[in-house]
Amino acid sequence: MKIIAMIPARYAASRFPGKLMQNLAGKPVIVRTYETALKTNLFDDVFVVTDSDTIYKTITEAGGKAIMSIKEHECGSDRIAEAVENMDVDIVFNIQGDEPFTPKEGLEELLSVFKNDDKKEIDLATIMSEMTDENEIKDPNYVKVIVDNRNFALYFSRSPIPYPREKNVGLKYYEHKGVYAFRKDALMDFYNLPMLPLEASEKIECIRYLEYGKKIKMIVDNTSGIEIDTPEDLERAQAEWK
């Protein structure tokens, strides 16, 4: 089973433009993320896939591997699918470029999903973490997920799901985290199938897989990392790196 990691990297970012090129303990954020993925020793290869000449040059000059996107893309999955279309691979990990602290343990758990999936019923695996802050649960910037009794995803939403009509039923809320592992076939299906109304409404790419009947296995990982979305996040990351 050939396993690779892809790190989609856009230069533009609405809340923090150029964040992937910001200095984190002496190196650009995107280089730190790339090196972290390499150091896990979980992958046969690691690539940054980008629409930016600056990011491409930065990664290659640091000794890394980068791929330039040919087309404009709506999301990271599309960018990765274009890059792997002609590669001979089985499992593709999507690691977020702005998360240089992605823990190895969570990646290992995602990988174990496919190693234990003898029937090949799982199309992709991704991570969720428990939420307890009511403001975050209500905040549409946090994507929530609900699952069945085998931890297969039922739905993703920016709204609080499920709605807490009854308060005393032991309900838990989970946030979807942006690390994925795909079977290549499922990723290419995603790339070639049109967006449907639920995904278009919520702007959550995982919904497309559900709308077309794909099976998404959710792994619980409550490890807290730092996603660099703001200058304040970068300050926290600097302190954490030290």
Side-chain angles (χ1 to χ4, degrees), residues 23-119:
N23 178 59
L24 175 56
K27 294 182 181 181
V29 169
I30 188 62
V31 173
R32 290 296 188 191
T33 302
Y34 181 86
E35 291 176 345
T36 298
L38 276 180
K39 288 175 184 176
T40 66
N41 294 315
L42 295 175
F43 309 113
D44 295 303
D45 231 332
V46 179
F47 301 88
V48 169
V49 54
T50 183
D51 59 356
S52 164
D53 291 329
T54 300
I55 292 176
Y56 180 92
K57 183 178 179 182
T58 297
I59 291 296
T60 54
E61 286 183 350
K65 296 182 179 181
I67 298 170
M68 280 294 295
S69 293
I70 299 170
K71 305 173 185 175
E72 291 292 325
H73 295 293
E74 287 279 335
C75 63
S77 290
D78 283 334
R79 191 179 306 282
I80 289 172
E82 180 202 291
V84 304
E85 188 168 13
N86 296 313
M87 289 186 182
D88 181 19
V89 298
D90 299 294
I91 305 296
V92 182
F93 276 69
N94 176 349
I95 296 174
Q96 301 301 308
D98 58 4
E99 296 190 19
F101 299 94
T102 300
K104 180 177 180 178
E105 294 77 14
L107 299 176
E108 286 177 319
E109 286 196 66
L110 289 179
L111 186 54
S112 71
V113 166
F114 295 99
K115 288 183 175 179
N116 297 325
D117 184 26
D118 296 331
K119 296 180 180 179

Side-chain angles (χ1 to χ4, degrees), residues 10-20 22 24 29 33 96-101 139-143 158 175-178 225-237:
R10 293 175 64 247
Y11 187 85
S14 57
R15 285 192 281 178
F16 192 3
K19 65 183 181 179
L20 298 183
Q22 295 294 316
L24 175 56
V29 169
T33 302
Q96 301 301 308
D98 58 4
E99 296 190 19
F101 299 94
D139 188 338
N141 290 312
Y142 290 83
V143 173
R158 297 185 182 278
E175 177 191 1
H176 175 226
K177 312 295 281 189
I226 298 175
E227 181 179 348
I228 299 173
D229 268 337
T230 65
E232 292 74 24
D233 292 336
L234 182 61
E235 289 181 13
R236 290 171 53 223

